[in-house]
């Protein structure tokens, strides 16, 4: 199919931004654009490639709309990847589109494991253009800036698999408390520059 020009906009009074995008229905064009992302797909997972066609960053909100949906096998809870690793999960699905809750959204919570220590924790969003918050379960955890933060994994067949890179620690709280330690994490990608995304639609 020929390339088609699509413009989508969110209203400025809400603090949203608009972004013109070019929808590409040609499967060859999709595969070419997604090639850098495909390397991050875990073995044994089905996937669908989509383009970001709209965004909502009102206040602390951080969601994008992509041009693939239920017709391509997407379900709520699917992991969404950009070059480098995980950037969000599917929160709403329509027949030909879906909403992605980005990891920077305050409603986003992802179970994680820090490497190389193996410590477990939870990453939450802090708003657009801010590092993520990381709560580490072990107050004596030996973690440091530069450590990689990976997904812990989901038991759901179409959920987030384990071992996806989510970001790297930028700062660690020097004063741990009995309930654990806290840190900040830089996500793997800039949320305002996302274009081609790959959704893991389920295990084969």
């Amino acid at each position: 199919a020929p390339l088609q020009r699509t413009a989508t906009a969110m209203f400025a009074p809400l603090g949203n931004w608009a972004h013109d995008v070019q929808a590409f229905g040609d499967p060859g064009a999709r595969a070419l654009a997604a090639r850098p992302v495909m390397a991050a797909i875990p073995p044994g997972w089905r996937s669908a490639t989509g383009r970001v066609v709209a965004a909502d960053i009102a206040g602390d909100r951080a969601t994008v709309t992509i041009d693939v949906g239920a017709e391509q096998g997407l379900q709520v809870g699917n992991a969404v990847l950009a070059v480098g690793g995980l950037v969000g999960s599917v929160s709403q699905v329509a027949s030909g589109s879906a909403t992605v809750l980005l990891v920077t959204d305050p409603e986003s919570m992802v179970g994680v494991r820090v490497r190389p220590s193996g410590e477990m924790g939870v990453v939450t969003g802090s708003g657009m253009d801010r590092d993520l918050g990381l709560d580490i379960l072990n107050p004596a955890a030996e973690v440091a800036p530069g450590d990689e933060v990976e997904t812990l994994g989901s038991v759901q067949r179409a959920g987030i698999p384990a071992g996806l890179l989510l970001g790297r620690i930028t700062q660690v709280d020097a004063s741990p408390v009995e309930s654990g330690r806290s840190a900040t994490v830089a996500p793997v990608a800039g949320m305002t520059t996302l274009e081609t995304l790959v959704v893991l639609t389920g295990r084969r």
Side-chain angles (χ1 to χ4, degrees), residues 82-93:
V83 176
L86 183 80
V87 294
S89 61
V90 174
S91 59
Q92 297 180 35
V93 180

Side-chain angles (χ1 to χ4, degrees), residues 20-102:
D20 284 352
V21 298
Q22 192 168 25
F24 59 132
D26 182 359
R30 282 186 182 273
L32 182 63
R35 192 169 295 166
V37 189
M38 287 297 188
I41 296 176
W45 281 77
R46 298 186 301 273
S47 65
T49 304
R51 291 271 289 190
V52 174
V53 295
D56 179 359
I57 56 172
D60 286 337
R61 293 289 296 165
T63 66
V64 295
T65 300
I66 54 178
D67 63 352
V68 287
E71 293 177 355
Q72 290 75 33
L74 272 65
Q75 304 174 49
V76 171
N78 287 163
V80 181
L81 310 179
V83 176
L86 183 80
V87 294
S89 61
V90 174
S91 59
Q92 297 180 35
V93 180
S95 60
S97 64
T99 300
V100 177
L101 183 72
L102 300 177

Side-chain angles (χ1 to χ4, degrees), residues 126-204:
S126 302
M128 190 65 75
D129 293 331
R130 298 177 187 171
D131 281 352
L132 312 172
L134 169 60
D135 292 322
I136 303 167
L137 302 181
N138 181 6
E142 295 184 1
V143 296
D147 286 356
E148 293 186 345
V149 178
E150 300 177 348
T151 55
L152 189 60
S154 170
V155 296
Q156 297 178 353
R157 184 172 180 82
I160 298 174
L164 297 177
L165 184 63
L166 194 150
R168 291 176 174 81
I169 291 179
T170 54
Q171 186 175 356
V172 179
D173 188 347
S175 303
V177 296
E178 291 184 2
S179 59
R181 302 195 70 177
S182 61
T184 56
V185 176
V188 294
M191 300 297 129
T192 60
T193 58
L194 298 175
E195 294 186 39
T196 302
L197 300 178
V198 168
V199 182
L200 303 182
T201 57
R203 294 178 176 87
R204 295 184 184 278

Side-chain angles (χ1 to χ4, degrees), residues 10 46 50 82 103 113 122-123 145 164:
M10 308 296 288
R46 298 186 301 273
V103 293
R113 193 178 295 277
V122 177
V123 163
L164 297 177

